Amino acid sequence: MELVLRGALVVDGTGGEPYRADAVVRDGRITALHREGDPGPRPGAVPAAGRVVDADGLALAPGFIDMHAHSDLALLTDPGHQAKAAQGVTLEVLGQDGLSYAPVDDRTLAGLRDQLAGWNGEPEGLDWSWRSVGEYLDRLDAGPGGQGLAVNAAYLVPHGTLRALVLGWEDRPATAAELLRMRELLAQGLAEGAVGLSAGLTYSPGMYAGTDELVELCRTVAAFDGYFCPHHRSYGAGALAAYAETIDIARRSGCALHLAHATMNFEVNRGRAGELLALLDAAADVDLTLDSYPYLPGSTTLAALLPGWATAGGPEQTLRRLADPAARAAIQDAMEVHGSDGCHGVVADWTTVQVSGVRSAELRSAVGLTVAQLAERERESGFDAFVGLLRRDALGTTILQHVGHEENVRAIMRHRAHTGGSDGLLTGDRPHPRAYGTFPRYLGHYVREQGVLGLAECVEHLSARPARRLRLADRGLVRTGYRADLVLFDPGAVAAGSSYERPRSTPSGIPYVLVDGVPVIDDHRRTEATPGRAVRRTTPGPRPDRAPRRRAAAPP
């Protein structure tokens, strides 16, 4: 059926001047754009049109691409997926921060399910029978009801998952044979459709890898024309050195680089975004992009703040150390005197660590409290409250960490390599509002209210630029022949509905969202449609002789 979006203000993703036009959609593609003033009859003026949507007063943009999503299990269990569909997101990139659920064997999957319960929950009745990347992508194609997904999804092979599969959770360098096996598994995942490699360098077991290991893995990624997406070793005391390391990895391997949730956090980095951006600008020989979320707090698991040595061996060994007086004293020294690597080299400030979700229902009274407030309630020290919560909740606690700076957030989002990524955890009683609000907050708060970005500029950040990073030749622009992943929003009304008190409230001002030409949001309501599928890497590979790419060019 033909669909005509009539009289929209087309913000086409190129960053160019918006224009008024009618857009025609058929069979999942944009088949025509009739600009205001073009000769001939307007589309929909003749009976061929199956439906005409009055888009007067609305902006028509390419569907937004969430470059950093944690919907790895949510897409398999929640057909509606309101969290992203209602924001205008039409594609999410999964497998982030070096930790997800493919490729695995039985032992590795069991450990990852335990480790990632705070991120992704433990869905009842989920069929966990996949093991390879290809099988996981097939499961995404099927979706929760065998009919597909609410939105499209791409996948990064997670470095920590590779390491767990080959080495377990051991704190040591990989042997030559183990590194070769990781490269083989990575190449298999890329051949099956993954778009690149992610790493979580403050998370066990990925944090135990040295730079040279990552360089060798990234050479495999480069051969498949994929990209490397690292969660860096520090966003705090060692942030600039951590960013420099990943630039060095990209340069030595010839691999494209995408910096995950690029921030400069903690008091040590207040006002220092300019130093990061100067470092990036100096890397003109590296094909480099980044993503960020438009909020100040971060979000992760409470256990992530532990020093890396304390989490070696996996969750069971971690809990044993927390129960051992000598190990516990060493952990306290690392966290409260020196600054642990898990807490980005910064001494823990329990007033900034706020509980957002718990695994055990018996601990829900802790949700919303900082660790300092919990300590006061329990009449114990902050460290004791921290350890007590970890042990009672079996490491399943999630947190907000209030360590960001507005001036840094604004400076980074203005950079020419910037894209949008929610980094949103969807589980917990009070998850970070970025999971439900990132994209409308960009458009409402930072475009309309604050003027930090122009409308056309922001849309390019959220659509065409990430599509280029993903090497998607027919997505990311409102252009004839492109896939009809589209969003209609009201520039004067779009706003995030989510807040820290009500984090799952949906946005306003986004009445229509199309995925492959099918409305998933129709007149502000979620339809039953599930047109989304796994988006697989389609460039040829492997090609070991491929020359490194420079920065992605602007769209023609």
Side-chain angles (χ1 to χ4, degrees):
M1 183 178 73
E2 189 171 89
L3 173 65
V4 177
L5 309 174
R6 173 168 287 175
L9 179 69
V10 177
V11 189
D12 65 6
T14 65
E17 191 68 26
Y19 59 89
R20 296 205 171 275
D22 303 335
V24 183
V25 173
R26 179 184 283 276
D27 296 330
R29 300 274 177 177
I30 302 168
T31 57
L33 286 168
H34 189 281
R35 294 193 184 220
E36 190 174 62
D38 282 355
R42 297 181 68 181
V46 293
R51 181 183 177 190
V52 177
V53 171
D54 181 4
D56 184 46
L58 300 177
L60 175 64
F64 304 137
I65 297 176
D66 188 343
M67 287 296 286
H68 194 106
H70 288 285
S71 304
D72 306 52
L73 299 185
L75 281 168
L76 298 179
T77 56
D78 177 14
H81 203 44
Q82 281 274 106
K84 299 301 175 65
Q87 292 187 63
V89 171
T90 58
L91 171 61
E92 299 184 89
V93 184
L94 314 177
Q96 299 287 347
D97 295 324
L99 290 167
S100 189
Y101 305 96
V104 292
D105 57 17
D106 292 352
R107 173 193 59 82
T108 307
L109 180 59
L112 289 166
R113 287 178 62 178
D114 201 21
Q115 182 176 358
L116 299 180
W119 280 6
N120 299 315
E122 300 170 285
E124 293 184 8
L126 179 62
D127 178 2
W128 294 87
S129 58
W130 74 81
R131 291 296 178 267
S132 69
V133 170
E135 289 169 348
Y136 176 72
L137 295 177
D138 289 343
R139 185 63 60 82
L140 288 173
D141 280 335
Q147 301 299 315
L149 306 172
V151 303
N152 296 309
Y155 188 73
L156 294 160
V157 178
H159 166 248
T161 299
L162 290 177
R163 227 175 189 268
L165 181 55
V166 176
L167 285 80
W169 276 258
E170 295 184 28
D171 182 0
R172 63 172 177 84
T175 67
E178 288 166 340
L179 180 55
L180 177 61
R181 182 57 182 149
M182 283 192 281
R183 293 190 71 176
E184 291 171 346
L185 290 165
L186 173 58
Q188 179 183 339
L190 293 165
E192 291 170 348
V195 295
L197 172 74
S198 76
L201 301 180
T202 67
Y203 297 127
S204 173
M207 66 193 307
Y208 308 134
T211 302
D212 290 345
E213 175 181 314
L214 296 167
V215 170
E216 290 305 311
L217 291 169
C218 283
R219 287 192 171 117
T220 298
V221 178
F224 283 85
D225 204 18
Y227 69 93
F228 178 44
C229 180
H231 166 116
H232 298 79
R233 294 194 195 274
S234 176
Y235 293 90
L240 290 176
Y243 284 114
E245 179 195 23
T246 59
I247 292 171
D248 178 58
I249 290 167
R251 186 175 283 126
R252 290 169 58 189
S253 65
C255 187
L257 176 64
H258 182 83
L259 308 177
H261 40 58
T263 59
M264 293 286 285
N265 285 338
F266 302 91
E267 192 60 32
V268 68
N269 287 319
R270 182 181 292 275
R272 297 185 67 190
E275 297 175 56
L276 168 61
L277 300 181
L279 180 68
L280 306 186
D281 289 340
D285 57 321
V286 175
D287 179 3
L288 184 152
T289 50
L290 59 91
D291 66 65
S292 75
Y293 47 83
Y295 294 86
L296 301 188
S299 179
T300 187
T301 60
L302 188 62
L305 306 186
L306 289 164
W309 61 263
T311 59
E316 185 176 337
Q317 292 297 320
T318 302
L319 288 168
R320 286 179 181 172
R321 292 187 186 99
L322 291 173
D324 176 74
R328 183 165 163 159
I331 292 169
Q332 183 171 13
D333 182 66
M335 297 193 69
E336 296 193 329
V337 178
H338 301 288
S340 76
D341 48 2
C343 198
H344 306 273
V346 175
V347 171
D349 178 355
W350 303 120
T351 67
T352 67
V353 181
Q354 181 182 20
V355 178
S356 60
V358 291
R359 195 176 195 175
S360 170
E362 297 177 358
L363 299 171
R364 280 186 176 157
S365 65
V367 174
L369 300 179
T370 66
V371 172
Q373 290 169 331
L374 182 62
E376 183 178 1
R377 189 185 76 179
E378 301 297 325
R379 298 183 180 180
E380 58 187 0
S381 71
F383 179 77
D384 286 343
F386 164 73
V387 171
L389 187 55
L390 286 175
R391 294 181 64 189
R392 285 179 287 154
D393 207 25
L395 309 180
T397 308
T398 52
I399 59 168
L400 302 185
Q401 205 168 4
H402 296 270
V403 292
H405 307 290
E406 181 69 20
E407 62 270 37
N408 288 348
V409 169
R410 290 176 179 235
I412 290 167
M413 75 171 64
R414 291 190 186 106
H415 194 265
R416 66 176 181 275
H418 175 261
T419 68
S422 70
D423 193 19
L425 303 180
L426 300 172
T427 59
D429 293 289
R430 287 175 58 176
H432 198 305
R434 66 193 184 191
Y436 284 73
T438 284
F439 295 86
R441 181 168 169 82
Y442 269 120
L443 295 165
H445 184 67
Y446 284 105
V447 172
R448 184 182 65 247
E449 296 174 3
Q450 299 297 318
V452 175
L453 297 172
L455 178 61
E457 178 186 20
C458 184
V459 167
E460 182 188 3
H461 287 212
L462 305 183
S463 57
R465 196 172 290 167
R468 293 197 299 273
R469 165 52 67 230
L470 294 167
R471 314 292 194 217
L472 301 177
D474 59 355
R475 300 180 196 264
L477 296 174
V478 180
R479 180 170 288 179
T480 302
Y482 273 54
R483 289 187 179 272
D485 290 348
L486 300 168
V487 55
L488 277 166
F489 64 91
D490 182 347
V494 61
S498 58
S499 66
Y500 295 102
E501 293 74 31
R502 300 183 63 189
R504 289 186 170 89
S505 296
T506 52
S508 56
I510 305 179
Y512 298 95
V513 180
L514 277 64
V515 174
D516 276 352
V518 178
V520 294
I521 300 293
D522 194 336
D523 195 17
H524 301 278
R525 290 185 291 272
R526 175 71 176 95
T527 69
E528 295 182 358
T530 51
R533 297 293 185 270
V535 174
R536 292 167 170 82
R537 186 196 59 81
T538 57
T539 52
R543 294 194 282 178
D545 59 339
R546 185 173 183 84
R549 285 177 178 259
R550 286 183 173 268
R551 294 188 191 275

